[in-house]
Amino acid sequence: DAGVIQSPRHEVTEMGQEVTLRCKPISGHNSLFWYRQTMMRGLELLIYFNNNVPIDDSGMPEDRFSAKMPNASFSTLKIQPSEPRDSAVYFCASSLRTGRKIEAFFGQGTRLTVV
Amino acid sequence: AQSVTQLGSHVSVSEGALVLLRCNYSSSVPPYLFWYVQYPNQGLQLLLKYTSAATLVKGINGFEAEFKKSETSFHLTKPSAHMSDAAEYFCAVSGNNDYKLSFGAGTTVTVRA
């Protein structure tokens, strides 16, 4: 498997524009997580899905942020409208839990710059 | 809810010295525990994980961690630091009854020649 795939790797956009980040989890994994990493706040969990259903979105900072997982192989994180303070690295991770077995892997991240 | 606390945001060690990174968890039931490493401008890479099997877990790059229920700890160690170990290390927890994966604040390791 190619691992968790995120796109784009880098995104530069102007304030007010819509930004969509994409994630393809590892095939067969049943949970998906979106994180945001900044120098000031560290690694923050934004939202996570289990079997394509959003379980906890309490980390989503504002209504400008939304996430979807239409199927087991794809998820998006959308920011509309974007603001300079949204600049960060956004990571997607997927995991599989079966019985006592668990694995969780991260994508390489999307570095978002909002100017 | 499960959480982890990493003690010490920065650790500096000499090359060849012991690396010890501290992580304490908060959970009423022993959870799943992980250590990840992040090199500059890269994603997070799994070093090792605890899933209630052996309490001493060996990972990649010579790292190991010991689960101690009495101390609610999962400290990461490496007997001899190498320059390539300079990175940020994150402890993470996931509960038995939920799928949330939560991270500590991270510890940055610098290795002195």
Side-chain angles (χ1 to χ4, degrees):
Chain A
D1 200 311
V4 178
I5 299 173
Q6 292 186 245
S7 63
R9 290 294 308 278
H10 301 273
E11 176 79 36
V12 180
T13 191
E14 291 186 348
M15 181 174 62
Q17 296 298 306
E18 176 180 298
V19 175
T20 299
L21 311 182
R22 297 171 175 79
C23 176
K24 176 177 167 52
I26 292 174
S27 177
H29 280 193
N30 52 15
S31 295
L32 183 139
F33 306 82
W34 282 100
Y35 294 88
R36 178 173 67 177
Q37 186 177 38
T38 61
M39 289 292 291
M40 292 296 295
R41 301 174 70 92
L43 197 61
E44 302 173 275
L45 176 62
L46 300 177
I47 185 172
Y48 79 99
F49 297 82
N50 187 46
N51 293 326
N52 311 338
V53 176
I55 302 299
D56 184 349
D57 65 355
S58 60
M60 295 286 261
E62 301 171 32
D63 291 345
R64 298 184 297 106
F65 285 69
S66 62
K68 295 182 179 179
M69 192 166 187
N71 56 61
S73 59
F74 184 65
S75 177
T76 59
L77 178 67
K78 185 178 294 186
I79 308 172
Q80 166 63 17
S82 58
E83 296 182 3
R85 59 195 169 116
D86 301 330
S87 298
V89 180
Y90 291 82
F91 288 103
C92 175
S94 71
S95 74
L96 172 66
R97 183 181 296 195
T98 54
R100 292 301 300 180
K101 177 182 175 182
I102 182 170
E103 59 181 33
F105 295 99
F106 277 72
Q108 289 299 298
T110 295
R111 182 173 297 276
L112 174 65
T113 303
V114 183
V115 298
Chain B
Q2 293 79 19
S3 66
V4 288
T5 301
Q6 290 184 241
L7 303 176
S9 59
H10 290 87
V11 169
S12 180
V13 298
S14 297
E15 192 173 19
L18 172 71
V19 179
L20 170 61
L21 305 182
R22 300 178 189 274
C23 174
N24 287 89
Y25 68 89
S26 172
S27 174
S28 58
V29 177
Y32 297 100
L33 293 160
F34 308 79
W35 275 100
Y36 286 84
V37 60
Q38 185 179 32
Y39 298 103
N41 299 314
Q42 294 191 25
L44 279 76
Q45 180 182 5
L46 180 66
L47 275 177
L48 50 81
K49 61 184 177 183
Y50 168 76
T51 59
S52 81
T55 56
L56 182 62
V57 182
K58 293 187 183 299
I60 62 172
N61 301 339
F63 284 94
E64 63 182 35
E66 186 172 9
F67 173 77
K68 290 187 177 180
K69 183 178 178 180
S70 61
E71 298 177 8
T72 61
S73 69
F74 190 58
H75 301 332
L76 181 71
T77 61
K78 181 174 180 177
S80 177
H82 191 272
M83 297 299 288
S84 61
D85 295 327
E88 189 161 19
Y89 293 79
F90 293 92
C91 182
V93 62
S94 185
N96 280 285
N97 299 318
D98 71 70
Y99 294 85
K100 190 172 183 177
L101 183 61
S102 301
F103 284 79
T107 299
T108 299
V109 172
T110 57
V111 182
R112 305 185 303 273

